[in-house]
Amino acid sequence: MVGSHEFLPIERGPPRIGKSLPALSLFVERLALRGLLSDDDKEAIIALPVQEISARANSDVIRPAEPNTHMYVVADGLLARYGQMKDGQRQIVALHIVGDMADPDALTARQPSFGLQALAPSRIIRIPHEPLRALVRRHPRIGQSLWAEGAADAAILSHWLVSIGGRNAKARLAHLYCEMAIRYRQAGLGSSFGFEFPITQNHLGDALSLSTVHVNRTLKELRNEGIVDVHGGAVNVLDWKGLCDVAEFDSAYLEVSPSLIA
Amino acid sequence: MVGSHEFLPIERGPPRIGKSLPALSLFVERLALRGLLSDDDKEAIIALPVQEISARANSDVIRPAEPNTHMYVVADGLLARYGQMKDGQRQIVALHIVGDMADPDALTARQPSFGLQALAPSRIIRIPHEPLRALVRRHPRIGQSLWAEGAADAAILSHWLVSIGGRNAKARLAHLYCEMAIRYRQAGLGSSFGFEFPITQNHLGDALSLSTVHVNRTLKELRNEGIVDVHGGAVNVLDWKGLCDVAEFDSAYLEVSPSLIA
DNA sequence: CGCGACTTTGACAGATGTCAAGGCTTGTGG
DNA sequence: CCACAAGCCTTGACATCTGTCAAAGTCGCG
């Protein structure tokens, strides 16, 4: 399925230093979840040069195959990392919500990463790779937190692969809803009863490897069975256990483990 | 598709110290590829307590959902990391060849990882997590190498997701052959003309999310078109460019980048 | 109030799965 | 060295899930 797609200029605010950006504290909080950070570590992060940008729905923050020089942290909205075939077919490989780092692995790779697109109006902070790498050199614990963040991202990726490879349309959709419910809850937004999830059926198809039409049919099934009810960018979970059963969902892979290394 | 599956006891050699194991040098070499390691770093790795084990074809080294306490490095053979549904359907999420670390992310996660199965007779070295974590604490550069290794693994994972999500059977199979050709070449085994790849059509199906029958049909197509010729666990690439075209293959994601951090 | 984007539905098509059977290879034991 | 067994490969017929196409309905925003 070919998603609609624009290359919009990104609206960039003026560069600002870290202290002025409450959004940067999101980054600190996230890293602190993944490993022990000293006050010194945290201050060093806050001192990073960052920029906040806004992206409209359906605009690309990083185009596919474009070399990428920044790390992105979602301050608000919903972003997708995706690959694309020549015929325009896309596959979303990750969804990033508030607090997530988009493509944490990019720091260690020289190769262009995947495209990064805003699926809903979003605000993103942007940190150049170089100062971040320098920071890691001086503060190994920050590196370990970034490593753990990358590993958590990879765990989700593995489960997407299992889902797309092994589940039918209904179970796949259910599994994604289960995962996002937990992740939104962890981000302090929503619960197992419901959450805001501003994604179109078209983009859901790109994530689940289903056509838009089939997403719609499958959604209808889940609705008719009284399991979930979706409208206006919000997911209402009517039967959490039923949803988990359909999905064969086990949330263990999403649990944030306290640091094992530092 | 449900693969045949056994839970065989693993044949374990007596514990031996690092120095006696040439296989451990594989681990050092791999990490040195990913980041700068000092002699001191390298000696510390060599001093790790390790064990070498053998696994028969179709035997599990780690069972799915079993907590895992060791890191594995493939010394010889072919291993698969996989997830499994209740109905027995499995999805291989990674193939590991000589020199690969199976599940580099396990170090930072407390959750049980995926199952790990030998697809062909294999030898594997086994390093307990705890001493490895302690090593990382004292040698941050080793941690950075492990991080980079995990990121490389995740890059492959992302491309598998794109492949399974976005390509048809023929392109999927071709893409896997392209990837494995490069990876075997990097490991010093084989080339774009051919390589040993001891995997059954059944397991290929588990990796590509195709039925065994369809793998067979698709293989026949590639053979009839004079692109590849597979028998006896060896892949002969007759038309590398043709193979890459069918797969829309771009090897960039497999390139080993010299350390960006240290 | 009208346009564009998104959702919903039906009819039909195509890729891939399932089932079943037979042939081939390889390793092992007599 | 032969014969058997087990696993693996190959093929055909048929079933099913999901995709494609086309059109109408709905919603939100300028």
Side-chain angles (χ1 to χ4, degrees):
Chain A
M1 188 193 41
V2 181
S4 62
H5 194 211
E6 326 165 43
F7 290 120
L8 288 181
I10 293 161
E11 300 145 28
R12 287 200 176 128
R16 287 189 282 172
I17 58 164
K19 278 197 196 356
S20 66
L21 278 182
L24 190 51
S25 65
L26 269 176
F27 187 45
V28 175
E29 278 166 37
R30 173 60 70 107
L31 291 184
L33 268 185
R34 301 293 185 191
L36 291 174
L37 296 184
S38 67
D39 289 346
D40 185 44
D41 293 331
K42 292 181 186 174
E43 281 162 24
I45 298 172
I46 295 289
L48 280 169
V50 298
Q51 213 178 7
E52 181 165 325
I53 64 181
S54 299
R56 292 203 263 158
N58 292 310
S59 67
D60 268 13
V61 177
I62 306 172
R63 298 178 199 190
E66 180 178 81
N68 174 25
T69 55
H70 293 256
M71 153 128 287
Y72 294 83
V73 180
V74 182
D76 193 38
L78 180 65
L79 302 228
R81 209 159 84 224
Y82 68 94
Q84 195 160 27
M85 315 269 86
K86 277 183 192 146
D87 66 2
Q89 161 91 8
R90 345 165 115 219
Q91 176 61 48
I92 291 175
V93 298
L95 290 174
H96 297 296
I97 69 171
V98 180
D100 286 346
M101 297 162 53
D103 209 356
D105 293 330
L107 262 187
T108 61
R110 204 185 291 286
Q111 303 315 322
S113 60
F114 288 94
L116 185 64
Q117 180 178 18
L119 302 186
S122 304
R123 286 179 309 113
I124 313 145
I125 63 176
R126 201 176 185 258
I127 309 170
H129 280 162
E130 269 321 317
L132 199 46
R133 288 186 182 126
L135 189 66
V136 169
R137 262 171 242 132
R138 280 179 288 113
H139 299 261
R141 290 236 177 113
I142 295 177
Q144 284 154 14
S145 289
L146 285 163
W147 173 14
E149 178 69 18
D153 191 75
I156 293 175
L157 205 49
S158 305
H159 283 264
W160 279 40
L161 187 56
V162 171
S163 204
I164 291 191
R167 284 186 250 260
N168 63 20
K170 190 155 98 176
R172 242 184 271 178
L173 185 54
H175 198 273
L176 182 65
Y177 282 144
C178 287
E179 178 184 309
M180 297 314 293
I182 301 288
R183 289 173 59 192
Y184 274 110
R185 180 161 59 72
Q186 286 173 344
L189 306 164
S191 68
S192 312
F193 297 107
F195 51 97
E196 298 288 318
F197 188 34
I199 190 172
T200 64
Q201 294 180 3
N202 188 356
H203 288 139
L204 269 180
D206 287 344
L208 298 170
S209 187
L210 293 171
S211 66
T212 307
V213 172
H214 206 66
V215 168
N216 186 284
R217 287 193 283 240
T218 308
L219 220 38
K220 183 178 169 187
E221 269 189 86
L222 289 176
R223 192 188 321 125
N224 289 343
E225 294 172 17
I227 294 177
V228 293
D229 182 27
V230 177
H231 45 299
V235 178
N236 266 302
V237 180
L238 306 175
D239 177 3
W240 174 251
K241 178 157 189 320
L243 189 64
C244 290
D245 285 349
V246 168
E248 287 190 27
F249 179 71
D250 175 355
S251 66
Y253 73 101
L254 293 172
E255 272 157 36
V256 180
S257 41
S259 170
L260 291 172
I261 298 204
Chain B
M1 188 192 45
V2 182
S4 63
H5 194 213
E6 327 164 44
F7 290 119
L8 289 180
I10 293 162
E11 300 147 27
R12 290 203 171 125
R16 287 191 283 174
I17 57 164
K19 277 196 196 352
S20 66
L21 279 183
L24 190 51
S25 65
L26 269 175
F27 187 46
V28 176
E29 278 167 36
R30 171 61 68 107
L31 290 184
L33 269 183
R34 301 292 186 194
L36 291 174
L37 296 184
S38 67
D39 289 345
D40 185 42
D41 292 333
K42 292 181 186 176
E43 281 161 26
I45 298 172
I46 295 289
L48 280 169
V50 299
Q51 213 180 7
E52 182 166 325
I53 63 180
S54 299
R56 292 203 262 159
N58 292 311
S59 67
D60 268 13
V61 177
I62 306 173
R63 297 179 200 190
E66 180 177 83
N68 174 25
T69 55
H70 293 256
M71 152 128 286
Y72 293 85
V73 180
V74 183
D76 192 38
L78 179 65
L79 301 230
R81 208 159 85 225
Y82 69 94
Q84 194 159 30
M85 315 270 87
K86 278 184 193 146
D87 66 2
Q89 160 92 6
R90 346 166 115 218
Q91 177 62 47
I92 291 175
V93 298
L95 291 173
H96 298 295
I97 68 171
V98 180
D100 286 347
M101 295 162 54
D103 209 355
D105 293 330
L107 262 187
T108 61
R110 203 184 293 284
Q111 303 315 322
S113 60
F114 289 93
L116 185 64
Q117 179 178 20
L119 302 186
S122 303
R123 286 180 308 114
I124 314 143
I125 63 177
R126 197 175 189 262
I127 309 170
H129 280 162
E130 269 321 318
L132 200 46
R133 287 186 183 126
L135 190 66
V136 168
R137 262 171 242 132
R138 280 179 288 114
H139 299 260
R141 291 234 176 116
I142 295 177
Q144 284 153 16
S145 289
L146 285 163
W147 174 14
E149 178 69 18
D153 192 75
I156 293 175
L157 205 49
S158 305
H159 283 265
W160 279 40
L161 186 57
V162 171
S163 205
I164 289 190
R167 284 185 251 260
N168 64 20
K170 190 155 100 176
R172 242 184 271 179
L173 186 53
H175 198 273
L176 182 65
Y177 282 145
C178 287
E179 178 185 309
M180 296 315 293
I182 301 287
R183 289 173 59 192
Y184 274 110
R185 180 160 62 69
Q186 288 172 343
L189 306 164
S191 68
S192 313
F193 297 107
F195 51 96
E196 298 289 318
F197 188 34
I199 190 173
T200 64
Q201 292 180 2
N202 188 356
H203 287 137
L204 270 179
D206 287 344
L208 298 170
S209 187
L210 294 171
S211 66
T212 307
V213 172
H214 206 66
V215 168
N216 186 283
R217 287 193 282 242
T218 309
L219 220 38
K220 183 176 168 187
E221 269 190 86
L222 289 176
R223 191 188 322 126
N224 289 344
E225 293 171 16
I227 294 177
V228 294
D229 183 26
V230 178
H231 44 300
V235 178
N236 264 302
V237 181
L238 306 174
D239 178 2
W240 174 252
K241 177 156 188 322
L243 188 65
C244 291
D245 285 349
V246 168
E248 287 190 27
F249 179 70
D250 175 355
S251 67
Y253 72 101
L254 293 171
E255 272 157 36
V256 180
S257 42
S259 171
L260 291 172
I261 297 201

